[in-house]
Amino acid sequence: AMKKGSIIGGAVIVRDRPIWLTIKPEERSAGVAKRIEDVVNSRFCAKVNGVKRNVAEAKYGAARVNLIVPQEYRDNVNRYVNVISHISFFESPDELNARLAELRAKLMEPDSSEFASYQLEAIGPNNPLAVDIVADGLDSHEELVQYNSAMTMAYMDVSEYRTKTARILGRLAESNT
């Protein structure tokens, strides 16, 4: 639950609020917890005091996986949780390729582009096809598709698309204020 309060004179939070994934009781096992930990860590990492660390750690007898929020998601933890929830933990390469073909079509449709963009972000920047699909969305004539693609590309942080992504997000912020 969200906690809100006012501190006269301001404050600085010195300790992160913990977040975790709870594994359903019927699916709890050390193997499942380890698989989730490995897949999340293959997609995300965090810098803590300048040291690169894994973001996921299986805990409590395979009942949950603790998460660290990477710096790029600090101001948008909800997005991080959404992206994590769209990671596929048990998917063959053939299944991934079939899903990528579906995601290409879904990203280009305004009604399904947000859902598709989270999935593509979950697949990550290490998959060239996922990057190409998001890049195609940047060129869409639909503003919502451009926005969702630009947000995903910004979080994926693909260097060759930084300028284009910034221009699109800047233009959309200007025209929608």
Side-chain angles (χ1 to χ4, degrees):
M2 298 282 283
K3 305 283 184 187
K4 285 187 175 186
S6 296
I7 298 175
I8 297 171
V12 176
I13 297 173
V14 294
R15 196 175 94 202
D16 289 334
R17 282 182 58 191
I19 63 171
W20 60 85
L21 303 172
T22 301
I23 300 171
K24 295 177 185 175
E26 64 273 12
E27 295 180 15
R28 285 184 187 157
S29 74
V32 168
K34 180 68 173 144
R35 176 69 181 160
I36 292 169
E37 177 185 295
D38 290 345
V39 171
V40 172
N41 286 333
S42 72
R43 171 60 184 90
F44 296 102
C45 68
K47 283 193 177 179
V48 178
N49 299 324
V51 178
K52 205 173 190 180
R53 286 190 47 195
N54 288 333
V55 297
E57 181 183 15
K59 287 290 214 183
Y60 302 104
R64 75 183 205 196
V65 177
N66 290 350
L67 298 172
I68 295 171
V69 178
Q71 186 62 40
E72 60 269 25
Y73 290 94
R74 287 277 182 209
D75 294 327
N76 198 344
V77 176
N78 286 337
R79 184 177 187 90
Y80 178 58
V81 171
N82 273 327
V83 171
I84 293 278
S85 73
H86 285 89
I87 290 176
S88 179
F89 294 104
F90 300 97
E91 183 173 56
S92 72
D94 288 340
E95 290 169 330
L96 173 61
N97 288 333
R99 186 162 62 105
L100 283 165
E102 290 175 18
L103 289 174
R104 178 181 295 279
K106 288 181 179 179
L107 182 67
M108 297 305 168
E109 292 295 323
D111 291 343
S112 57
S113 68
E114 182 176 19
F115 175 76
S117 70
Y118 284 133
Q119 288 193 54
L120 289 160
E121 192 173 329
I123 293 167
N126 292 330
N127 184 304
L129 185 53
V131 172
D132 289 345
I133 292 168
V134 177
D136 289 347
L138 296 174
D139 295 327
S140 173
H141 297 292
E142 296 284 346
E143 270 193 359
L144 190 55
V145 172
Q146 279 187 344
Y147 172 76
N148 288 320
S149 299
M151 287 295 290
T152 294
M153 191 65 80
Y155 280 100
M156 288 170 74
D157 196 26
V158 179
S159 59
E160 67 188 272
Y161 293 103
R162 282 184 189 143
T163 302
K164 186 174 190 175
T165 298
R167 282 191 195 126
I168 289 169
L169 289 173
R171 177 180 50 78
L172 291 173
E174 236 176 46
S175 66
N176 289 299
T177 53

